[in-house]
Amino acid sequence: AASSSGEEAAPELQPEPAPALAETPETAEAEAGECAVDAASVATTAAAAAWLRERITVRGTWTKEHDAAVSAFLSPAGRRLLAYTDAVLGLCVTPALPQEVTEEIQYFVKRTAGSVDATNIARDVVVGSVRGGSLNSLLRLMSSVISPLCLAERTWPATIKKEFSGQLHRFMASLTEESWEARGQTVLYIPPEDASEPDVARHDKDLVLRLNTTLIHWTRQIKEVVNRETDGGDSKEEGPLAEVRFWSSRSVDLSGIHEQLERKGVRQVVEVLRAAKSSYLKPFLDLSRSIEEGHEEAVDNLRFLENLTPPCEALAAATPSEIPQLLPAIASVIRLIWRHSRFYNSDERLTALLRKVSNEIIARCRAAIDLSELLGRGDVKASTTALQQSIQAGEAWHRVYRTTKAAIAAAAARDGSGRTWDALDKASVFAQSDAFMQRCSDLLDICASVQQLASRNGEGEPAALPEFGAKGGAGEVASSLLVLRSSFEKQLASLRALPYDILDVKASGWHDDYNRFKAFVKDLEVMLQNVIKKAFESAATTSAAVELLEAFASLAKRDAIRRCVEKQLAAVFGAFTQEVTSVKKTFDRLKGAPPLLHRDHPRYAGGARWAKTLHARVSRQWSQVESTRAYLAWPREAEEASAKFVELDAVLDEYVRRMYTEWVMTIESGLSRLLDQNLMVRSATPLAGSGGTSRERYTFVETSFDVTLLRLFGETRYWSRLGFEIPYVATDITNHADSYRVMRENVSLLARGFNSILASLAPAERKLFGERLHALEKKVLPGLTKLTWAAKMRLQTDAYLKEARRVCTELERVVTSFHRAKRLVAKACRKMSDTRLVTLRKKPTYTQQSFVEEQNAHHERVRATFSSLHAEMRQLLAESYEVFRTDGEEVQREWRRHVREVDAAVEEALRQTIKRSLLELSRAISG
């Protein structure tokens, strides 16, 4: 690293173990924090400001405030200038440090106080940048620049050097520890001291003192790691995967410390202090031995806990409905750990692990419960389902625990071991989950109140009842409904405004707030009896009215309220009668040309499906209206609605049968004759390189299957789904639709393979593969001229397809191998072209003898490389030629042409490497 004033770079110091430095795109000057500048290009103070602006490369928009900051820096009062990008403010050019961590900071620092202009900017301004985290950057700067420079200094007085070195090592130890601890690793700082000869070093009291200080720091670091039991895994909010991650991290950390303790630098420090009889060495060695024991424990625990990873990962991604089926597997693994683990079988650790499973269940249930949906304008039904499933998950966890505990007790009774789960703290395991289940029960009660009093639809938006006042204008009734709903929403708003998370079972204030809510809901239910008889005036559709009937019927406990609801039921049947009439009119208007529901639907079966859709639309509403029989007595209007529905049902059913009859009439006899056409036909698409002329010997092929049969297959498939019988005249063919589909796919595979081979070969390559293409053409030809789709030729066709595809596959493999050999030969030529025939090191001064010796050695290496490439190309060509060795004269002629092309490529590669080598030598000589 070099400073901006051109000072000589400091020697690099690499202590053991050296922290891994993050690579950056900066130059060596930027990594050291300084860069040299050329003052000759700066003419004025304004130019100096422009020079600074040009070197600010962080992203952002330049403003007048930035110009003012640059001017202030150039003035005598300015000492430093920082440039960085803020997430909110954008580009910042200021002497103040950023408040948040930034990706990059560029700095401009004056060496001395005073103004800066064109005459002194090169001498007095230091420029650099800091990337990544501040600790990492500082560690990189200290390790690579400042520490080596200071420790290599020999002109300082001995007392100052001793005091400074000790303080520097203490600072570097703390900096190394903090920097690597942020990345989850424990790294020991090894001071760059000469401890290679312990007998000599032990007499240097200052050195022994510094090494003792370092050893004390190491002892503290290792003691923290050894004593760090389950701090990360024993969090009361974490799940079982956190325990696995903790022991995995602990295993890696202890293993890393053990490896560092075996390094040469650490051993040298230990040997010096042993020779000096340091009193701090014994605690350090004891801790070093405990590292091995702790690592053994961590590995053993991790070996068993890793079995929890698959089921617990599934649990961490599960919904409440999926949790019960995952718990038995988790309990089985925990039982295995408790029974066989050497270190993880204590009651305390097992209780903590079971508690983490409870935490994970609570976390998954909390993730599925959306309080904004429940207390806002969300889907209350979905929230109700999530709450019910959460309670079921908690109950399932209780059952699995009891079942596992009973199985362990039974096993202990059989084997006489006496080891059971009786000593486990069950209250600690289930305290949080039981409290959460009770909280879910309270929220279920709120959901029921929301469904009755807020009248929300399936999407969580207000249903017809809440919109009554806005559309109906029914005066006092509408106003009363709005007041009722508004009062309830205000109460919900008070729950939303609670200063704690409702799903947090540790929030003790919930009990008083929930009791106040229950009392308020009772008052609203009394008010509901006064407005319910006019609530149906805003019901625009049968479906909405039925939803209101169901909602109010659940509240109709007194006779007066029940009679009011029964009067609205008659109006619901009247609305349903109007809906049936509307559907009948739509059907009469479109039945002549029925719209297809999907573009792939056939004509007749598609029309039948459209009619079935209209029927399903009315039937769905009728089933909704008919469901009211379960909780309300039907009025006389129900008879008229039923008659209208039965009439429309008969009309639609008759239309479907008529479409079926018309389709049957279109089926002609003798469909088997459509199968008497060849499997494939020649394609009109020309081959690449043929120019579209008729002189090309080979052509693409296409599958040939009659479209009429495809339509027939489509009609029969959909009519079968509609439950209709397929006519016998079509059954003979359609029963084999799947076999024809398989045959079409096989023929398509053959056609695609044949076409793929032709498309992959260049015109010259087609000549080279002429005899094999001719053989493949002979194999494919029966499908073009002889074989048909008829069942009588099925055996011949299957044998033909099998053999033709085999030949096609073999030829495709040969072509692929040939092309691979060509690519490898071309790659070898490129490598030969990129090889230089001269080797020149940067900035040396050669004598004639040294230059000749170095070039001769390099030529030997190049000769070996060329020989290897040449042998490789000869081998590739020889392997490729084996395919064509027995072919005719025309193929041999094409092969010789191919070899000449390879020779030309090799010659061109040699020409290029000679040219580039001479150019490189010329540049080295000419400068």
Side-chain angles (χ1 to χ4, degrees):
S3 67
S4 60
S5 60
E7 296 173 353
E8 183 178 353
E12 183 179 1
L13 189 62
Q14 296 181 345
E16 294 183 13
L21 302 180
E23 295 294 334
T24 66
E26 301 294 334
T27 63
E29 288 79 8
E31 290 179 355
E34 301 179 356
C35 64
V37 296
D38 185 4
S41 62
V42 183
T44 63
T45 301
W51 177 87
L52 287 175
R53 178 174 175 178
E54 289 176 358
R55 281 154 180 76
I56 296 178
T57 59
V58 293
R59 297 186 302 273
T61 303
W62 192 270
T63 63
K64 294 181 179 179
E65 289 77 6
H66 301 151
D67 289 327
V70 171
S71 300
F73 169 71
L74 296 175
S75 67
R79 291 304 302 270
R80 71 180 181 187
L81 186 67
L82 305 178
Y84 55 89
T85 301
D86 186 84
V88 178
L89 303 177
L91 175 63
C92 294
V93 180
T94 174
L97 291 170
Q99 299 299 317
E100 303 291 339
V101 177
T102 59
E103 180 180 353
E104 178 184 4
I105 301 177
Q106 287 186 272
Y107 60 84
F108 302 82
V109 182
K110 293 181 181 178
R111 293 182 180 275
T112 59
S115 61
V116 174
D117 55 18
T119 62
N120 58 6
I121 189 171
R123 183 183 68 255
D124 293 343
V125 176
V126 177
V127 184
S129 65
V130 177
R131 288 174 174 265
S134 57
L135 284 179
N136 295 340
S137 298
L138 180 58
L139 178 61
R140 182 168 61 249
L141 183 63
M142 292 293 299
S143 300
S144 61
V145 180
I146 297 178
S147 181
L149 284 173
C150 294
L151 295 177
E153 180 61 48
R154 298 292 183 268
T155 61
W156 293 354
T159 56
I160 296 178
K161 182 67 179 294
K162 178 181 70 174
E163 180 68 20
F164 181 82
S165 299
Q167 295 294 338
L168 177 62
H169 289 324
R170 281 192 288 271
F171 174 74
M172 289 298 296
S174 299
L175 178 61
T176 301
E177 178 184 2
E178 294 296 331
S179 177
W180 285 98
E181 186 175 351
R183 285 175 271 183
Q185 299 182 38
T186 301
V187 174
L188 306 179
Y189 168 74
I190 303 177
E193 301 283 4
D194 184 9
S196 59
E197 297 182 7
D199 292 335
V200 176
R202 68 189 181 91
H203 297 294
D204 189 343
K205 295 183 179 180
D206 295 333
L207 174 60
V208 171
L209 178 62
R210 291 195 295 272
L211 295 182
N212 271 326
T213 303
T214 301
L215 188 71
I216 293 171
H217 191 91
W218 290 351
T219 303
R220 182 185 59 78
Q221 282 185 267
I222 297 175
K223 185 179 295 184
E224 289 179 357
V225 175
V226 171
N227 295 335
R228 190 187 305 148
E229 272 296 330
T230 56
D231 294 343
D234 197 29
S235 174
K236 297 186 181 301
E237 304 296 332
E238 293 285 357
L241 289 177
E243 186 75 359
V244 179
R245 289 193 296 270
F246 169 76
W247 286 106
S248 175
S249 174
R250 182 171 176 80
S251 174
V252 173
D253 205 10
L254 293 176
S255 175
I257 295 176
H258 179 70
E259 292 178 1
Q260 294 179 64
L261 293 175
E262 296 300 322
R263 291 182 179 177
K264 179 180 178 181
V266 175
R267 292 200 305 270
Q268 289 180 348
V269 172
V270 170
E271 291 301 324
V272 171
L273 295 180
R274 179 179 285 116
K277 298 182 180 180
S278 173
S279 60
Y280 302 104
L281 184 59
K282 184 179 183 304
F284 173 77
L285 295 177
D286 293 340
L287 283 174
S288 299
R289 286 188 290 273
S290 67
I291 285 292
E292 182 65 27
E293 297 172 358
H295 181 252
E296 180 183 2
E297 177 186 8
V299 170
D300 186 79
N301 290 345
L302 180 62
R303 181 167 64 92
F304 285 96
L305 289 173
E306 280 181 338
N307 295 298
L308 278 174
T309 300
C312 288
E313 285 180 346
L315 178 63
T319 59
S321 62
E322 299 169 344
I323 290 176
Q325 60 188 2
L326 299 174
L327 295 177
I330 295 176
S332 298
V333 176
I334 293 176
R335 179 181 176 184
L336 180 146
I337 295 172
W338 171 79
R339 184 174 181 85
H340 298 287
S341 175
R342 290 187 296 157
F343 305 101
Y344 207 89
N345 55 4
S346 65
D347 293 338
E348 294 77 10
R349 280 183 171 173
L350 191 65
T351 300
L353 183 59
L354 292 171
R355 184 169 60 247
K356 289 177 175 61
V357 177
S358 299
N359 293 341
E360 189 64 48
I361 294 173
I362 294 174
R364 297 314 308 152
C365 294
R366 290 183 64 170
I369 300 171
D370 191 344
L371 290 177
S372 63
E373 292 280 326
L374 193 155
L375 301 177
R377 295 182 180 272
D379 185 359
V380 180
K381 292 183 180 179
S383 300
T384 301
T385 302
L387 289 169
Q388 292 172 344
Q389 293 173 348
S390 299
I391 295 175
Q392 293 168 3
E395 294 172 347
W397 178 224
H398 272 278
R399 289 194 302 271
V400 169
Y401 176 82
R402 290 194 298 269
T403 301
T404 306
K405 182 178 178 181
I408 291 174
R414 287 193 304 269
D415 58 26
S417 63
R419 294 189 63 201
T420 65
W421 280 10
D422 293 337
L424 297 185
D425 189 358
K426 182 179 178 182
S428 175
V429 173
F430 292 102
Q432 298 290 332
S433 61
D434 290 345
F436 183 76
M437 289 168 60
Q438 181 59 46
R439 189 64 53 87
C440 290
S441 298
D442 297 342
L443 292 174
L444 273 178
D445 185 41
I446 295 177
C447 286
S449 301
V450 171
Q451 289 174 318
Q452 293 177 10
L453 298 173
S455 301
R456 296 176 183 171
N457 59 19
E459 287 74 26
E461 295 298 326
L465 182 60
E467 296 177 357
F468 175 81
K471 294 184 178 180
E476 184 178 354
V477 175
S479 177
S480 299
L481 289 173
L482 290 175
V483 170
L484 178 64
R485 181 178 180 275
S486 177
S487 300
F488 184 75
E489 291 291 349
K490 288 180 180 179
Q491 191 64 21
L492 281 180
S494 67
L495 292 181
R496 290 196 297 269
L498 291 176
Y500 54 82
D501 184 2
I502 294 178
L503 294 175
D504 185 4
V505 296
K506 298 179 182 178
S508 59
W510 167 253
H511 304 289
D512 295 335
D513 295 327
Y514 176 63
N515 289 332
R516 283 192 294 270
F517 176 81
K518 287 180 63 176
F520 185 82
V521 168
K522 285 186 177 180
D523 296 337
L524 291 182
E525 288 177 350
V526 174
M527 296 173 60
L528 178 62
Q529 298 176 11
N530 300 323
V531 297
I532 193 173
K533 55 186 176 181
K534 291 189 177 181
F536 287 88
E537 294 181 5
S538 60
T541 63
T542 303
S543 177
V546 171
E547 290 178 2
L548 290 175
L549 281 172
E550 183 177 0
F552 285 117
S554 64
L555 301 176
K557 305 302 180 181
R558 299 183 61 182
D559 293 340
I561 297 177
R562 184 173 295 277
R563 285 193 298 268
C564 178
V565 175
E566 288 175 352
K567 289 180 181 178
Q568 301 306 318
L569 180 60
V572 170
F573 277 106
F576 175 73
T577 302
Q578 294 178 0
E579 176 69 10
V580 171
T581 303
S582 174
V583 171
K584 180 65 168 58
K585 290 181 179 179
T586 300
F587 171 74
D588 291 339
R589 186 176 72 255
L590 300 175
K591 64 182 180 181
L596 299 180
L597 301 178
H598 192 275
R599 59 185 179 86
D600 291 337
H601 286 173
R603 174 185 174 187
Y604 299 100
R609 287 181 63 85
W610 168 71
K612 286 285 188 180
T613 302
L614 295 177
H615 182 270
R617 169 183 167 184
V618 179
S619 297
R620 183 169 56 251
Q621 296 188 39
W622 172 250
S623 63
Q624 293 173 346
V625 174
E626 192 177 25
S627 66
T628 59
R629 190 192 295 271
Y631 47 85
L632 290 173
W634 275 14
R636 61 177 181 274
E637 288 81 1
E639 298 179 2
E640 180 183 358
S642 178
K644 288 282 187 181
F645 172 73
V646 171
E647 179 185 356
L648 179 60
D649 180 71
V651 170
L652 293 176
D653 185 67
E654 188 276 333
Y655 175 79
V656 171
R657 295 186 179 279
R658 181 164 59 84
M659 295 298 291
Y660 172 73
T661 303
E662 292 181 2
W663 170 66
V664 171
M665 297 297 293
T666 61
I667 301 176
E668 301 178 358
S669 60
L671 291 174
S672 59
R673 72 178 186 280
L674 299 178
L675 298 172
D676 294 333
Q677 56 182 344
N678 297 123
L679 299 177
M680 295 179 293
V681 296
R682 298 284 186 181
S683 173
T685 305
L687 283 174
S690 64
T693 63
S694 59
R695 298 172 59 186
E696 179 62 47
R697 181 175 181 179
Y698 306 102
T699 59
F700 292 133
V701 296
E702 297 176 352
T703 303
S704 173
F705 194 82
D706 195 273
V707 178
T708 303
L709 292 177
L710 293 176
R711 295 195 189 100
L712 178 65
F713 293 158
E715 291 281 0
T716 55
R717 181 169 65 254
Y718 283 101
W719 282 117
S720 297
R721 293 178 182 177
L722 292 174
F724 284 83
E725 182 180 359
I726 306 302
Y728 178 77
V729 68
T731 303
D732 188 38
I733 291 181
T734 56
N735 283 345
H736 303 287
D738 287 339
S739 63
Y740 284 123
R741 177 183 59 81
V742 173
M743 187 183 297
R744 289 201 311 274
E745 291 297 329
N746 286 328
V747 173
S748 298
L749 288 174
L750 175 59
R752 285 197 294 269
F754 181 81
N755 294 340
S756 175
I757 292 174
L758 292 181
S760 65
L761 293 173
E765 293 174 346
R766 289 198 288 271
K767 294 180 181 179
L768 183 61
F769 283 87
E771 293 190 7
R772 277 151 186 78
L773 288 176
H774 180 67
L776 177 60
E777 177 83 5
K778 289 179 62 177
K779 289 292 182 180
V780 173
L781 189 61
L784 297 167
T785 59
K786 179 181 177 182
L787 297 177
T788 66
W789 301 92
K792 61 184 180 181
M793 306 187 71
R794 180 63 54 83
L795 295 178
Q796 300 179 37
T797 301
D798 291 343
Y800 159 76
L801 290 174
K802 182 177 181 180
E803 179 64 18
R805 287 189 61 193
R806 183 189 66 79
V807 174
C808 186
T809 302
E810 291 179 356
L811 181 55
E812 188 173 10
R813 185 162 52 249
V814 171
V815 171
T816 302
S817 176
F818 175 77
H819 285 157
R820 175 182 174 277
K822 285 188 65 176
R823 290 193 301 271
L824 292 177
V825 168
K827 181 179 178 181
C829 290
R830 289 194 300 272
K831 185 175 181 180
M832 186 178 295
S833 176
D834 294 337
T835 303
R836 296 295 179 268
L837 301 181
V838 294
T839 177
L840 299 171
R841 289 178 285 111
K842 293 184 178 180
K843 300 181 180 179
T845 300
Y846 288 102
T847 64
Q848 180 176 356
Q849 181 180 358
S850 64
F851 180 78
V852 171
E853 291 176 352
E854 184 168 338
Q855 300 311 311
N856 288 337
H858 178 67
H859 290 165
E860 290 299 325
R861 292 192 294 271
V862 171
R863 185 176 296 106
T865 300
F866 282 1
S867 298
S868 175
L869 293 175
H870 177 257
E872 179 183 355
M873 288 187 286
R874 284 178 59 88
Q875 180 66 23
L876 290 170
L877 290 175
E879 292 176 356
S880 299
Y881 182 67
E882 289 299 323
V883 178
F884 311 103
R885 180 179 295 277
T886 60
D887 290 353
E889 179 58 29
E890 183 178 356
V891 174
Q892 298 301 324
R893 184 169 55 254
E894 290 298 322
W895 173 256
R896 289 191 292 272
R897 184 194 59 78
H898 172 66
V899 172
R900 287 195 296 273
E901 291 179 355
V902 173
D903 289 341
V906 172
E907 182 180 357
E908 178 62 24
L910 293 173
R911 182 181 294 108
Q912 289 296 324
T913 188
I914 293 173
K915 179 179 178 181
R916 293 170 183 172
S917 300
L918 291 176
L919 287 175
E920 185 174 346
L921 182 60
S922 175
R923 283 193 299 268
I925 295 173
S926 301

